[in-house]
Amino acid sequence: MYFNFQSCQFEEKTTRPNKLALIGSDGEKSWNEVSQLVGQITQAIESLSLKKGYPIFIYGHKETAFPISILACLSANHPFVPIDKLYPTERINEIQEETNSSVFIDCTGTLSGKNKTFIQVIGDKVIVENGEIRESWVPVYDQNPLAYILFTSGSTGKPKGVLIRQSSILDLVKWVKSDAFRMSEQDVFVNQSPFSFDVSLFDTFASFTYGASMILVSQELSKNSDEFFKVLRNYKATFWTSTPAFIYMYLRESWFNSFSLKHLRSFVFAGEPLPISTCESLYDNFSNPNIYNAYGPTEATVITTLLKVEKELFSSSSSLPIGYSKPESKMITEKSEATRKTPSELIIIGENVAEGYLNRPEETKEKFFQIDGKKAYKTGDLGFIEEGLIYCLGRNDNQIKLNGYRIELDEINEKLLGYPFINESRTIGLKRQDKVVRIVCMIQSDEVLDMASLKENLLLVLPHYMVPSDFLQINAFPTNQSGKID
């Protein structure tokens, strides 16, 4: 059994329905159970008689119901909006304001509140709690409808929604079904990234496409090294997807090798630059591993380039290229003569490019356009292309990546300026060997500030990964000749 993303239906093949499909924080689900629960949630959605294209929030973390709800939304032809339960309430409210949707699929059984409609998924039970259904202002496309809206950090101080249509998912699935990744229905995928981070959709779509199995790694499980090892070993994990920062935590564990994890053979990294040292450690720990360096902003449907990392690259490069463009997509540089010394902005062209940003016409116009009738997106990343091989060398704006998360530093500043006594703030990403390792914020105030209290307050309005690790209060910011902060 597997999920056909073209028809949005389950189809039979050699895989037995009782084969294990999902291992989550709340237990296991077979393929037969997944199919039945998708059907129940789809029926619950249809019972609400929502208007075409009405967006639905999926709330949870690593429960089995989360990816199941993704399939249900696709089957019901409604775009899903993933919301991690680790998000602070204010950020969830901001995302709800951006869509004006009031329908939630709750995978935790804990959500409540007025003026909302909940589809509670508890075990194998689906319960509908009817409430207000607002008039959403998400655009509706008659042909090729929206598949999902994923919110990223926004420079205006509020998260911005990236609009991904169904054809972009099918474009990714077509690539996943090719031989590029050496996948099969026998694979057991390690799904670590939160569903609010689009890297998680890569192994989700892959697992459902092949009729494979997937381990949903909760934050709690990942912090418990012994338990994490037992899960990987007992379920015979084969395919690992994460940021380089995540795997770094385990490279020095005595059990993270081919001897202890006999089936683990493939590793896909995305979300941030892949250090050569990480690849060297994997080659030391595992026998003939398949290591892939992938790249792709949220605006280009998860990943758009790929490189199979061979040992020969270690000596010939100071940093790894991000690979070659996926089939039926293309990357170019804004200036055709771009080199390592004079990089230019990378542009992605193809069906994998998003439709733009929700309710952000000016920002959409700035970043999205067409080249020869095809969708194109200006990434904000600087790089160059050499014999088809693409190199990414950093950003041209105030955005950083930390542990794979894309962060607009201006959003942090906007939140800080909302607090009393803070006159000005500037946030920077401190780098080590061209990699951001932590966020530091400088604040100007006429009052003595309690930095510990300030950090606690920020955790109420920002995801934990956006809260600076260090704060420095200063008397005044230095200025340049134009009178602007230097």
Side-chain angles (χ1 to χ4, degrees), residues 138-139 141 146 148-150 161-165 354-358:
V138 169
Y141 302 92
L146 281 179
Y148 65 86
I149 308 170
L150 203 147
V162 180
L163 304 172
I164 301 292
R165 290 166 82 166
E355 295 307 304
Y357 300 117
L358 177 62

Side-chain angles (χ1 to χ4, degrees), residues 48 53 125 155 163 195 223 280 337 357 372 384 404 432 455:
L48 299 176
K125 294 183 178 180
S155 59
L163 304 172
F195 286 107
K223 290 181 177 180
E280 290 175 330
E337 66 276 13
Y357 300 117
D372 298 331
F384 67 98
R432 182 181 300 129
K455 189 171 184 177

Side-chain angles (χ1 to χ4, degrees), residues 325 330-340 342-349 369 371 377-379 381-386 389-393:
S325 292
K330 184 179 180 181
M331 285 190 73
I332 62 173
T333 53
E334 189 172 34
K335 297 178 181 178
S336 58
E337 66 276 13
T339 65
R340 184 180 291 275
T342 58
S344 180
E345 184 167 13
L346 295 170
I347 295 172
I348 302 172
I349 307 167
F369 59 108
I371 296 179
Y377 168 68
K378 299 174 70 172
T379 65
D381 290 321
L382 298 174
F384 67 98
I385 302 173
E386 203 170 73
L389 200 53
I390 306 161
Y391 293 79
C392 183
L393 304 180

Side-chain angles (χ1 to χ4, degrees), residues 444-468:
Q444 193 276 318
S445 176
D446 299 327
E447 306 286 336
V448 177
L449 300 177
D450 182 349
M451 297 304 180
S453 176
L454 182 62
K455 189 171 184 177
E456 290 178 2
N457 287 329
L458 276 182
L459 283 168
L460 298 176
V461 297
L462 289 173
H464 65 91
Y465 58 82
M466 290 184 66
V467 177

Side-chain angles (χ1 to χ4, degrees), residues 34-49:
V34 167
S35 175
Q36 291 179 3
L37 194 52
V38 167
Q40 292 180 57
I41 299 173
T42 302
Q43 289 179 3
I45 294 172
E46 292 173 345
S47 73
L48 299 176
S49 299

